Amino acid sequence: MHPDEQRHLKQSIELARKARERGNHPFGAVLVDRNGRVLLEGENTVVMERDCTGHAESNLMREATQHYSPEQLAGSTLYASTEPCAMCAGAIFWGGVRRVVFALSSEGLGQLVGTAEPALRMSCREVFARGSESTEVVGPVDLPEAREVHEGFWK
């Protein structure tokens, strides 16, 4: 993995940390264009906005489709602190981003969460595999801080 990609992943984890500090679930996402320029950042806002769809990736994609062309989005990469859930993978697909890189896997998250929260135990690869256009997925990328940001949160 290129050092810039690792930096973007760490940036998404830092956003997850900020979301947690604000009282939200610890998830973050960063959208980067084909030249490595950060376009947008997204945090989870489920708790503070009382919106079950306020996941970091969905929030980011909602804003991205309002500000960037389909061509710009198709050439971008979404970096996520944790593997996108089925809902977020759908938002990424419908928004036209065709490359996703994530740190903590949904399986790894499931081990941390246990039964504390309801979950759709599905890899984003399963969602993207059903798409009419391909989406490249890279992950999980082993970064200890991706796991650490969740420690003690899910009880």
Side-chain angles (χ1 to χ4, degrees), residues 60-116:
L60 185 146
M61 289 308 302
R62 196 174 298 112
E63 188 174 349
T65 56
Q66 293 173 358
H67 293 96
Y68 297 101
S69 71
E71 294 76 27
Q72 287 172 299
L73 293 174
S76 297
T77 299
L78 188 145
Y79 293 88
S81 61
T82 304
E83 183 173 2
C85 71
M87 175 185 71
C88 291
I92 293 164
F93 177 82
W94 291 117
V97 172
R98 295 294 175 247
R99 186 166 187 266
V100 174
V101 180
F102 65 87
L104 183 64
S105 70
S106 59
E107 183 179 312
L109 176 65
Q111 293 168 358
L112 293 169
V113 174
T115 58

Side-chain angles (χ1 to χ4, degrees), residues 14-145:
E14 184 54 33
L15 289 164
R17 189 175 321 286
K18 288 179 182 176
R20 181 177 178 166
E21 288 170 1
R22 295 186 223 290
N24 289 298
H25 300 160
F27 300 97
V30 178
L31 185 66
V32 177
D33 72 11
R34 70 177 74 238
N35 298 315
R37 183 175 62 105
V38 173
L39 300 177
L40 290 172
E41 297 178 336
E43 291 180 23
N44 182 289
T45 58
V46 168
V47 177
M48 298 303 285
E49 293 186 10
R50 297 183 53 123
D51 177 1
C52 65
T53 67
H55 293 194
E57 302 91 336
S58 292
N59 288 339
L60 185 146
M61 289 308 302
R62 196 174 298 112
E63 188 174 349
T65 56
Q66 293 173 358
H67 293 96
Y68 297 101
S69 71
E71 294 76 27
Q72 287 172 299
L73 293 174
S76 297
T77 299
L78 188 145
Y79 293 88
S81 61
T82 304
E83 183 173 2
C85 71
M87 175 185 71
C88 291
I92 293 164
F93 177 82
W94 291 117
V97 172
R98 295 294 175 247
R99 186 166 187 266
V100 174
V101 180
F102 65 87
L104 183 64
S105 70
S106 59
E107 183 179 312
L109 176 65
Q111 293 168 358
L112 293 169
V113 174
T115 58
E117 293 279 323
L120 290 171
R121 306 270 187 232
M122 177 184 293
S123 169
C124 69
R125 285 181 171 89
E126 293 176 66
V127 176
F128 293 133
R130 300 293 185 118
S132 58
E133 297 180 20
S134 65
T135 302
E136 179 186 356
V137 179
V138 177
V141 176
D142 186 22
L143 293 175
E145 52 267 58

